[in-house]
Amino acid sequence: MASAILTDYSEPRLKVLSWRIFLICMCLNFFVMVEPAPADLLFFVSLACFALAPWQNIRFLNGVAAIGVLLYVISSVIALFFVQYNLPFALRAVGIEFYMIGLFLMTGYYSASKGDSAFFWILMSLTIGALISAVIGYLALFDLVPRSDLFFRGDDGERNRLMSTFKDPNVFGPFLVPSVLFSAWLMVSSRKFWRFGLFSLVFLLVVLIASLSRGAMIHAGISLFLMMIVLLIHGRSARPTFLTFIGLCVLVCVVALTLMDQITAALDNSLMGQRMSLQSYDDTRFSNVADAANRVLENPLGIGQGQSRYLYGYLPHNTFVAFALQNGIAASLGLLLIYLAAMGRCLVKVLDKQPGWTKYAFVLSILCGLLVLMQVVGSSHWRHLYIVCGLAFGNYRTDAPTDTGEQWRPSYMRRMSARPGLLYRLLTPERDRHV
């Protein structure tokens, strides 16, 4: 059943081909060092196959999201009339934004039409791509590939922050977060993929830290915390796992406190220590955002994509402020409506507690972490942001992360559940306890 979605010809063959190419695009989203990226080119092949296939009417966007898409597109076009410098660059930026909306719509369509299978395969494809990027990152860390400095960000050839197959470590790190969460969920919930989940979780977390992206670490921490709460609430099979995580966290804290002096000495004047503290440019970054927010009111229709660099000498490190300044207030409102519609739909599904609600909670946990990150970075061209928003509009019917509908408990979980301890009794309502 896990592979049925790849061999099912109940749909028109062009739709099946479009779906397969779309999954390849998901996997190739890790490689964006060149423009146009291979994933972008394949996406348009997938879109062409989709458009040529017999039309299937599936409603997946709600009214708020549809209005958001219209505002996003129309206002971005209007902003082109106010471009003062480098019109080709602005046109290219608008083309990328249209592509992002197309990616969002295609993800939403497939998530709605294929349901749980789309959830599994899209996230699995992203995770495979993330692992390939992580492997390249590890090879670069140990200098096992030619010109390994190309995979780092640094001045004058310095190998400071790992960015692997991305153009910036602050994009590479956040791209890994959905795959980190999916790996953690596979580890605790899938009979077939739990070893894969455990391996990829550890593998991706290490390379995420190597990117030294503060935003990515905060994003991962918020999203993992929220997902663990969901697993705790969801079912008894997750509670022993949650307690295991608590035990590991306590162990890490004890070791950290014991070796505090050595750790502090190692971080002193190190790149890791510098990245974990306020940077010299942070004050300037925040002041630029404040200045841009004031200029938005002076130019409500926008100044054109990428023009703030030429007019004011900076790019605001806030997604919504930057989008409002360059694409217009309506475009920023459109992006906000798309995002809030995705979060709102997930929240409603979670509160309904119908089968499949944990998948919406999974998407919501990623969106919450991303929303925090978007306040300090410009992420309007991040592919995985639109993919996650599209996943929010899926129709999910099971709480298992895979498309097999399986739920399981490893033997050590069964033993813990059979002999519940004090913490288990405290955390578990009496009606849910089992012997």
Side-chain angles (χ1 to χ4, degrees):
M1 186 174 179
S3 60
I5 192 65
L6 299 179
T7 57
D8 182 14
Y9 283 95
S10 59
E11 288 187 323
R13 288 179 179 264
L14 278 176
K15 280 285 179 65
V16 175
L17 179 61
S18 173
W19 167 238
R20 292 179 177 180
I21 297 174
F22 182 78
L23 289 180
I24 297 174
C25 293
M26 295 296 100
C27 186
L28 290 179
N29 273 318
F30 76 93
F31 187 76
V32 293
M33 294 184 74
V34 297
E35 295 290 348
D40 302 343
L41 297 176
L42 274 179
F43 172 80
F44 290 105
V45 177
S46 173
L47 184 62
C49 294
F50 178 85
L52 293 173
W55 182 254
Q56 185 179 4
N57 187 19
I58 294 179
R59 182 179 179 182
F60 58 95
L61 288 187
N62 55 31
V64 175
I67 293 173
V69 169
L70 290 176
L71 289 175
Y72 183 109
V73 172
I74 294 172
S75 184
S76 296
V77 172
I78 292 175
L80 287 173
F81 292 96
F82 300 94
V83 173
Q84 298 183 33
Y85 302 94
N86 203 339
L87 180 59
F89 179 83
L91 289 170
R92 174 180 173 273
V94 171
I96 292 173
E97 285 150 12
F98 284 10
Y99 164 63
M100 295 298 166
I101 287 295
L103 191 60
F104 161 68
L105 294 175
M106 287 283 282
T107 305
Y109 172 86
Y110 280 125
S111 299
S113 61
K114 298 183 182 299
D116 299 288
S117 293
F119 179 89
F120 171 73
W121 283 109
I122 289 173
L123 286 169
M124 179 60 80
S125 299
L126 284 175
T127 302
I128 292 172
L131 286 172
I132 296 172
S133 186
V135 168
I136 295 172
Y138 278 105
L139 293 175
L141 281 171
F142 295 103
D143 203 15
L144 298 177
V145 290
R147 297 293 306 278
S148 58
D149 56 296
L150 294 176
F151 304 101
F152 289 85
R153 179 180 178 180
D155 300 325
D156 300 324
E158 293 182 359
R159 295 156 51 95
N160 288 341
R161 299 173 58 195
L162 182 67
M163 62 183 185
S164 189
T165 52
F166 288 76
K167 294 181 178 179
D168 191 280
N170 289 327
V171 183
F172 172 53
F175 172 80
L176 299 175
V177 175
S179 299
V180 167
L181 264 70
F182 187 63
S183 299
W185 200 5
L186 287 179
M187 184 184 71
V188 301
S189 302
S190 174
R191 185 190 306 274
K192 294 177 61 176
F193 297 101
W194 74 271
R195 292 181 180 86
F196 170 82
L198 175 60
F199 167 78
S200 59
L201 175 64
V202 176
F203 202 73
L204 293 175
L205 278 177
V206 172
V207 80
L208 185 149
I209 294 173
S211 71
L212 295 180
S213 173
R214 295 174 295 173
M217 295 178 193
I218 294 172
H219 174 17
I222 292 173
S223 297
L224 278 171
F225 175 74
L226 292 175
M227 195 188 74
M228 285 302 151
I229 291 178
V230 171
L231 290 178
L232 177 63
I233 296 173
H234 169 238
R236 55 199 179 195
S237 64
R239 292 189 178 90
T241 303
F242 182 82
L243 296 179
T244 302
F245 273 107
I246 293 295
L248 290 175
C249 291
V250 171
L251 178 63
V252 170
C253 291
V254 170
V255 173
L257 290 173
T258 304
L259 304 176
M260 181 61 71
D261 293 338
Q262 293 88 334
I263 294 174
T264 303
L267 289 177
D268 188 30
N269 295 324
S270 68
L271 182 60
M272 174 68 81
Q274 295 172 15
R275 289 297 302 167
M276 293 302 104
S277 61
L278 285 175
Q279 303 290 290
S280 59
Y281 52 78
D282 282 337
D283 290 338
T284 303
R285 172 182 292 183
F286 297 137
S287 64
N288 287 342
V289 172
D291 180 70
N294 291 327
R295 294 183 185 276
V296 167
L297 300 177
E298 301 172 4
N299 305 277
L301 297 179
I303 60 175
Q305 291 76 352
Q307 299 305 296
S308 65
R309 182 192 300 274
Y310 301 104
L311 294 175
Y312 312 124
Y314 61 78
L315 291 175
H317 285 272
N318 179 295
T319 300
F320 298 107
V321 171
F323 213 58
L325 176 64
Q326 300 185 127
N327 293 49
I329 294 176
S332 184
L333 178 61
L335 177 61
L336 182 62
L337 288 177
I338 293 171
Y339 207 88
L340 291 180
M343 294 186 70
R345 188 172 192 273
C346 289
L347 184 59
V348 169
K349 295 292 185 179
V350 169
L351 295 178
D352 284 345
K353 289 289 184 70
Q354 296 297 317
W357 72 271
T358 53
K359 287 188 170 71
Y360 297 103
F362 174 91
V363 176
L364 182 61
S365 65
I366 299 176
L367 290 174
C368 288
L370 263 175
L371 186 62
V372 174
L373 184 58
M374 291 167 74
Q375 308 312 309
V376 292
V377 297
S379 56
S380 58
H381 287 182
W382 288 6
R383 295 164 179 82
H384 68 276
L385 185 151
Y386 294 87
I387 293 170
V388 174
C389 285
L391 287 172
F393 294 92
N395 293 317
Y396 309 128
R397 297 288 182 263
T398 69
D399 291 312
T402 69
D403 66 334
T404 60
E406 60 174 332
Q407 290 284 18
W408 77 300
R409 287 183 296 153
S411 58
Y412 76 92
M413 289 186 181
R414 291 196 297 271
R415 290 194 297 271
M416 292 176 66
S417 300
R419 297 188 296 274
L422 175 62
L423 283 176
Y424 181 80
R425 292 196 297 272
L426 290 175
L427 292 172
T428 309
E430 185 175 356
R431 65 179 182 275
D432 292 336
R433 293 180 192 168
H434 59 289
V435 179

